[in-house]
């Protein structure tokens, strides 16, 4: 993808992290395995992200409809279960490319995406599994700690959509 990189084999650009594109386009209508992979990851991630987003935003709705259905702790665990495949499977390609950018010392958008979603997800896992590790000022009246599963989960399919487009 980067104009300074020329390679005889397909793969990721060592500078920008995007997939390398052929210099000459064939007239044959071939399938693009990377596009198929990103599309599948996007669709599955989107389906799993929607409930995470709705759960996270439910407190802002009048009457707080989820409060009567499940405790806040239960809702946090549901978000953890739904966000895990989105971040770890759907976003795995971003972690791979982000790591490659650190190793090659060519930081790029994948570095930022991997760090942002990774930190939000890991913080939220710790806050859900071990809220007692946080100071009292971090905890709500019910003992839970605010989490950012929805941020990590929403960013992942949005970036996947960008890759598909």
């Amino acid at each position: 993808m980067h104009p300074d990189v020329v390679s005889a084999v397909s793969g990721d650009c060592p500078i920008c992290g995007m997939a390398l594109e052929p210099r000459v386009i064939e007239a044959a209508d071939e399938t693009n395995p990377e596009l198929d992979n990103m599309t599948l990851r996007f669709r599955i991630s989107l389906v799993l992200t929607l409930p995470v987003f709705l759960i996270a935003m439910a407190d802002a709705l009048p009457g707080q409809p989820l409060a009567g259905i499940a405790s806040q702790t239960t809702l946090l665990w549901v978000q953890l279960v739904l966000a895990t495949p989105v971040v770890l499977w759907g976003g795995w390609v971003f972690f791979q490319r982000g790591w490659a950018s650190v190793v090659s010392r060519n930081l790029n958008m994948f570095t930022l995406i991997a760090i942002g979603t990774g930190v939000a997800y890991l913080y939220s896992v710790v806050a859900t599994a071990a809220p007692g590790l946080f100071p009292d000022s971090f905890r709500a009246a019910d003992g839970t700690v605010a989490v950012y599963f929805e941020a990590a989960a929403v960013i992942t399919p949005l970036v996947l959509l960008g890759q598909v487009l």
Side-chain angles (χ1 to χ4, degrees):
M1 186 95 181
H2 197 276
D4 294 338
V5 176
V6 177
S7 176
V9 296
S10 63
D12 296 332
C13 174
I15 296 174
C16 67
M18 300 292 286
L20 295 174
E21 299 291 334
R23 296 184 99 174
V24 178
I25 300 187
E26 302 281 327
D29 186 33
E30 295 182 27
T31 60
N32 183 336
E34 183 184 18
L35 176 61
D36 295 342
N37 183 1
M38 292 290 185
T39 301
L40 177 65
R41 288 174 188 269
F42 167 70
R43 289 178 177 162
I44 292 172
S45 294
L46 181 63
V47 168
L48 294 172
T49 295
L50 288 174
V52 173
F53 179 75
L54 293 173
I55 291 169
M57 298 298 124
D59 288 345
L61 296 174
Q64 297 182 347
L66 294 180
I69 297 172
S71 71
Q72 187 64 25
T73 302
T74 302
L75 294 174
L76 292 177
W77 282 99
V78 169
Q79 288 183 72
L80 169 65
V81 167
L82 292 172
T84 296
V86 172
V87 174
L88 298 183
W89 176 76
W92 185 251
V93 67
F94 306 138
F95 290 112
Q96 288 176 321
R97 291 178 180 180
W99 179 252
S101 74
V102 170
V103 170
S104 70
R105 296 181 185 205
N106 290 302
L107 305 181
N108 54 45
M109 73 168 197
F110 295 111
T111 316
L112 179 62
I113 294 163
I115 291 171
T117 58
V119 168
Y121 175 77
L122 289 175
Y123 168 87
S124 298
V125 168
V126 173
T128 300
L133 294 176
F134 294 86
D136 290 339
S137 60
F138 277 48
R139 286 187 242 139
D142 61 1
T144 60
V145 177
V147 296
Y148 301 98
F149 288 121
E150 83 285 354
V154 168
I155 289 168
T156 300
L158 284 175
V159 176
L160 286 167
L161 177 61
Q163 295 297 299
V164 169
L165 293 176

